[in-house]
Amino acid sequence: MLKKPPRVRDNNCALQVRLRLEGRDHFINRLGRFDDPVAEARGQAICAEIWRDAQQGDLDLSLNRYRPLVE
């Protein structure tokens, strides 16, 4: 499963969450701009939720639960 907690990263000024799951990188995109504090907080909350679920053994491996709804 997850050995390291997911992290927020800058992808050409777009904010994304990166996690390494079973030897492969997975990304959650469309969180907002990297310099937006609200988007940064949303990304940190998603990271915390993923890490908590992984520690409890309740991780959604499709990651659909953690992806924000796109308007």
Side-chain angles (χ1 to χ4, degrees):
M1 285 294 215
L2 288 173
K3 294 181 182 176
K4 293 183 181 179
R7 65 183 180 91
V8 175
R9 63 179 281 218
D10 180 7
N11 181 22
N12 293 327
C13 295
L15 187 80
Q16 68 180 190
V17 171
R18 175 193 178 267
L19 65 140
R20 191 150 180 91
L21 185 61
E22 298 175 355
R24 294 184 54 207
D25 286 332
H26 297 272
F27 300 96
I28 297 176
N29 298 309
R30 296 189 176 140
L31 298 176
R33 303 224 15 108
F34 188 73
D35 57 358
D36 181 10
V38 174
E40 173 81 22
R42 185 181 312 126
Q44 293 294 342
I46 290 171
C47 288
E49 184 179 2
I50 291 171
W51 186 244
R52 183 196 68 220
D53 288 352
Q55 297 302 308
Q56 293 176 353
D58 191 31
L59 182 66
D60 177 16
L61 294 177
S62 69
L63 301 177
N64 288 332
R65 182 187 334 170
Y66 313 108
R67 297 184 196 283
L69 297 174
V70 179
E71 297 176 6

